[in-house]
Amino acid sequence: MTAVQQNAMNTELWQSIGAIADNESLMRRLTRYAKRLVREKEDPTLMTKEEFFARVDESKKEYEKGEYVSFGNLEDMNAWLNAL
């Protein structure tokens, strides 16, 4: 994003906030939503749909090449998971 685009977005955001600033209920909702966005940004485990499906596609390719782990029983699987 260019500096001009960022500036325009900031201006639009502040105008929107100003339009609802006198409504306590809307400001509470906005604050909750903003906090949720911050948590999403800080969570390294989150991924986009594109990233998710790219990982699925890669896993399918690995499976087709025989690059996977399988288990005969639950104990073997748990032992493998515990070793990670």
Side-chain angles (χ1 to χ4, degrees):
M1 178 179 305
T2 67
V4 171
Q5 291 170 325
Q6 181 69 40
N7 195 14
M9 191 178 295
N10 285 341
T11 300
E12 183 179 355
L13 174 63
W14 286 109
Q15 287 174 342
S16 297
I17 291 171
I20 65 168
D22 62 343
N23 185 312
E24 185 178 343
S25 174
L26 291 176
M27 287 299 290
R28 270 197 215 112
R29 287 174 53 196
L30 176 62
T31 301
R32 282 194 304 269
Y33 184 68
K35 287 179 181 179
R36 196 168 45 227
L37 289 175
V38 169
R39 282 193 304 269
E40 285 181 21
K41 180 182 177 192
E42 294 172 348
D43 187 346
T45 63
L46 294 177
M47 64 180 85
T48 65
K49 285 169 80 173
E50 292 79 16
E51 292 170 328
F52 173 78
F53 286 113
R55 290 184 70 176
V56 169
D57 291 340
E58 182 61 30
S59 294
K60 285 180 181 179
K61 289 176 187 173
E62 289 174 1
Y63 177 80
E64 290 167 357
K65 290 190 246 177
E67 299 172 356
Y68 61 91
V69 178
S70 64
F71 307 98
N73 57 55
L74 182 61
E75 291 78 24
D76 290 345
M77 182 189 74
N78 284 331
W80 181 78
L81 288 170
N82 288 333
L84 294 178

